[in-house]
Every structure is written in structure tokens, then in C-alpha cells.
Amino acid sequence: LTASIKALKAELSKRIVKITFKKKDGSITTRNATNSPNYAGNFVNNRGISSDARNVVSFIDLDAVGNKWRSFRYENLISWE
């Protein structure tokens, strides 16, 4: 993991982060995201393959109706704040 990805994951676990990344279709998107237990607790089921094993950042998309899980590959991260 790069330092930027590690820092992003640490911040996602604590607060809402604005992330910009390239989607599979090549378009660029910006999302308000978090993995804070205050938001993500109801969505965690501890099944499946770890996102780190797949080289992706998984997050709860607070802009999606119903706060859906989303993910993107490490190399597609453009920025976060």
C-alpha cells in the first residue's frame, strides 16, 4: 500500500472524506465517503475477500440513496480531502 492509500483508509475510518477517482468506464467521479462505524456499522457483514487482497478501497457512498458500498482500484485514486 502506498502512504496515500494508507492515510486515506485511516481517515475513512474516522470521518467523511471527499474522494475523486476514475471509474471502470473511464469517467471521473467525486464522492463523499466513509467507513466510520457510525455510518458503516449496519453494512458490515465480514464475508467475502478483503478489499486489500483485491487492491481496492471500499467505502460507504453517502451520496448514493441508501448509502451503498462502492469501491475503486488503488491506481484509480486521483485525490482526497
Side-chain angles (χ1 to χ4, degrees), residues 6-80:
K6 284 182 182 178
L8 170 59
K9 287 184 170 200
E11 290 301 310
L12 281 169
S13 70
K14 294 187 266 187
R15 65 179 180 91
I16 296 170
V17 179
K18 185 176 178 179
I19 54 175
T20 303
F21 59 95
K22 184 169 66 171
K23 295 170 46 175
K24 283 183 183 180
D25 68 6
S27 63
I28 304 298
T29 189
T30 299
R31 304 291 173 114
N32 289 301
T34 191
N35 285 332
S36 166
N38 293 338
Y39 295 94
N42 295 333
F43 298 96
V44 176
N45 62 21
N46 294 320
R47 293 187 302 222
I49 299 169
S50 163
S51 59
D52 285 333
R54 296 177 290 146
N55 294 325
V56 299
V57 174
S58 297
F59 61 92
I60 297 291
D61 181 352
L62 299 175
D63 298 326
V65 175
N67 297 337
K68 298 188 171 143
W69 279 106
R70 303 279 191 235
S71 64
F72 62 90
R73 297 191 57 79
Y74 295 162
E75 62 268 21
N76 291 334
L77 176 65
I78 294 171
S79 66
W80 63 274

